[in-house]
Amino acid sequence: MNSTFEKLTPVVLLLARIVIGYMFLLHGTAKFFEYPMSMTGGNGAVTDPMMIVGGILEIAGGLLLALGLFTRPISFLLAGQMAYAYFFMHMSAETIFNPLANKGELAIMYCMAFLIFMVIGPGKLSLDAKRSA
């Protein structure tokens, strides 16, 4: 039974990378192109420099993660971005241990997902694996 799950590992890592990378990319496209929704309430693309940097990381990082290219370093960078997002954009002294109240649970989940990819890598079905072969 255990070997069945081990055989599925490359496919599950591929699917997880693609889905997480795509969802993360959508945060960036929402900031810059208001697609699939606006992050500014329909007032055009973001103008805050921190949001611009975040959007660039989300688009580029999401694409690289989905492709499995430079997975470990990009995952490290994106985990840091999401830690910053939680601690400086969502958390307050009153809600430090309540991410549901400060709406920071998604930032924490992304941070943990990126840390997992940083540690275990992209898997066999990735451009990183092709490059090292």
Side-chain angles (χ1 to χ4, degrees):
M1 178 90 148
N2 202 15
S3 65
T4 302
F5 288 120
E6 288 174 9
K7 289 177 187 173
L8 291 174
T9 300
V11 175
V12 171
L13 282 174
L14 171 67
L15 290 173
R17 271 196 354 265
I18 290 171
V19 169
I20 292 168
Y22 176 70
M23 292 189 318
F24 203 63
L25 176 136
L26 289 178
H27 285 270
T29 61
K31 287 178 177 74
F32 288 128
F33 311 117
E34 298 188 30
Y35 178 83
M37 61 177 273
S38 174
M39 298 281 287
T40 62
N43 295 327
V46 296
T47 56
D48 176 1
M50 289 300 286
M51 294 289 274
I52 291 170
V53 171
I56 291 168
L57 287 172
E58 289 159 357
I59 291 172
L63 282 171
L64 289 170
L65 184 69
L67 294 170
L69 186 60
F70 307 114
T71 303
R72 290 179 194 265
I74 201 66
S75 294
F76 175 76
L77 187 64
L78 297 179
Q81 177 192 7
M82 290 296 95
Y84 178 90
Y86 182 75
F87 288 113
F88 294 100
M89 307 303 280
H90 292 281
M91 187 193 78
S92 67
E94 299 83 36
T95 64
I96 186 169
F97 296 114
N98 191 351
L100 295 177
N102 65 31
K103 298 184 179 13
E105 70 274 10
L106 190 56
I108 293 171
M109 294 294 285
Y110 273 126
C111 183
M112 292 297 105
F114 296 142
L115 287 174
I116 289 169
F117 283 119
M118 183 187 79
V119 171
I120 65 172
K124 295 176 185 175
L125 302 175
S126 67
L127 291 179
D128 283 340
K130 293 275 187 211
R131 286 179 343 134
S132 65

